[in-house]
Amino acid sequence: MSVLRTPPVAGTADPSGLPASRVAAGALPCNTCAARQFSICAPVSDADLPHFFAMSVKLRFEPRRYLFDEGDAPRYVFSIASGTVCLSKALSDGRRQITGFLFEGDFIGLAHGETCAYTAEALTPVEVCRFPRDRFERYMTEHPHVERRLLQIASTELAAAQDQMLLLGRKTATERVASFLIRLSDRAVAHGRSGNPVCLPMTRAEIGDYLGLTLETVSRTMTQLRKRGAIDLDNTSVVRLTSEETLRRLAGV
């Protein structure tokens, strides 16, 4: 896999130029971050927020740049403040399997081995808070409420992985695509945004890699869903749910 190694754009610790330890909690960028209430930092108290903020560096990745590559040493963990990230694994024959799409509020990078098990690629402009892995793990040990939050995130990811196994193993192409659109819509609603229309920052080929379908099958299935009155296609990146009831029935949910 060819990896674009252009460095991300680093943000400053604070616009005032003061160390984070001297910045009042109310003045921290965290307080205007739309992702905070859904992210790993949600349980961090206002009193401890400057210390938590001081561990991080805010970075921006342009589309098609990599946060890290499969096989890299897992030196950092990331909290996604905005944008969409694609997770993938390289197969022995040169193909890749997309294992997930992550959005604002998601946490990424905690590894159990000596290398990263997958590649993380920005699909859109992505902003993250990056934490050194060793410092973050020490912080969790000292702050069990953050560790519990990470456990909640891991439990949600496990449930999503189980759903994905069902989707790949048992569902038809129509059920897979319909389920995918419903998931994106439901996630948007859960994060306080409109679930309709559904924005698709990924390509049809990437959706196929995730759903175990060919590009042609994804495109054909989208057309069939439109003809059945479930969706309308404004363009390749915006799908309007014209009948959510029909789409949910076709998804089997």
Side-chain angles (χ1 to χ4, degrees), residues 197-204 233-240:
V198 174
C199 295
L200 299 177
M202 63 290 295
T203 67
R204 295 288 191 268
L233 304 173
D234 289 356
N235 53 57
T236 58
S237 60
V238 178
V239 175
R240 285 188 290 114

Side-chain angles (χ1 to χ4, degrees), residues 51 86 105 171-172 179 197 209 252:
H51 175 61
C86 170
K171 291 194 172 186
T172 66
S179 296
D209 285 345

Side-chain angles (χ1 to χ4, degrees), residues 20-210:
S21 59
R22 293 176 56 195
V23 179
L28 291 174
C30 309
N31 291 297
T32 58
C33 176
R36 184 187 173 193
Q37 61 181 312
F38 311 109
S39 70
I40 189 68
C41 53
V44 179
S45 67
D46 289 344
D48 201 46
L49 198 57
H51 175 61
F52 188 81
F53 174 71
M55 291 193 300
S56 69
V57 174
K58 193 161 190 177
L59 301 175
R60 178 183 173 90
F61 293 83
E62 295 303 322
R64 302 303 167 182
R65 305 296 176 181
Y66 287 73
L67 284 69
F68 54 83
D69 190 33
E70 183 178 352
D72 286 350
R75 298 172 54 199
Y76 301 103
V77 295
F78 305 81
S79 180
I80 302 176
S82 65
T84 304
V85 173
C86 170
L87 304 182
S88 65
K89 286 186 66 69
L91 304 179
S92 59
D93 59 4
R95 294 176 299 156
R96 72 168 179 171
Q97 173 66 50
I98 291 179
T99 59
F101 299 104
L102 301 182
F103 306 90
E104 66 176 38
D106 284 330
F107 186 77
I108 181 174
L110 205 60
H112 297 290
E114 297 301 317
T115 60
C116 296
Y118 48 83
T119 293
E121 176 188 6
L123 295 185
T124 65
V126 169
E127 289 189 348
V128 301
C129 294
R130 188 186 74 181
F131 301 84
R133 178 187 177 189
D134 54 351
R135 291 186 63 187
F136 189 85
E137 289 178 344
R138 286 199 300 271
Y139 184 90
M140 285 196 303
T141 300
E142 297 165 359
H143 299 82
H145 53 292
V146 176
E147 190 172 31
R148 286 194 296 270
R149 173 61 178 162
L150 184 60
L151 179 59
Q152 292 173 349
I153 292 173
S155 297
T156 300
E157 291 180 352
L158 178 59
Q162 291 171 334
D163 287 344
Q164 181 68 2
M165 285 188 288
L166 172 63
L167 181 149
L168 293 176
R170 295 293 182 181
K171 291 194 172 186
T172 66
T174 298
E175 290 171 329
R176 294 182 194 188
V177 174
S179 296
F180 179 68
L181 295 174
I182 289 295
R183 283 185 191 175
L184 293 183
S185 176
D186 287 349
R187 179 190 167 88
V189 172
H191 282 209
R193 303 189 306 274
S194 172
N196 192 12
V198 174
C199 295
L200 299 177
M202 63 290 295
T203 67
R204 295 288 191 268
E206 288 164 338
I207 294 173
D209 285 345
Y210 178 62

Side-chain angles (χ1 to χ4, degrees), residues 230-250:
I231 66 172
D232 201 1
L233 304 173
D234 289 356
N235 53 57
T236 58
S237 60
V238 178
V239 175
R240 285 188 290 114
L241 310 186
T242 51
S243 176
E244 185 175 332
E245 180 182 356
T246 299
L247 193 63
R248 289 187 181 275
R249 176 171 52 80
L250 292 171

Side-chain angles (χ1 to χ4, degrees), residues 201-236:
M202 63 290 295
T203 67
R204 295 288 191 268
E206 288 164 338
I207 294 173
D209 285 345
Y210 178 62
L211 298 179
L213 302 171
T214 65
L215 165 62
E216 293 76 16
T217 300
V218 172
S219 298
R220 184 170 60 251
T221 303
M222 289 282 195
T223 299
Q224 291 171 350
L225 291 174
R226 179 178 59 79
K227 290 180 177 179
R228 297 175 78 163
I231 66 172
D232 201 1
L233 304 173
D234 289 356
N235 53 57
T236 58

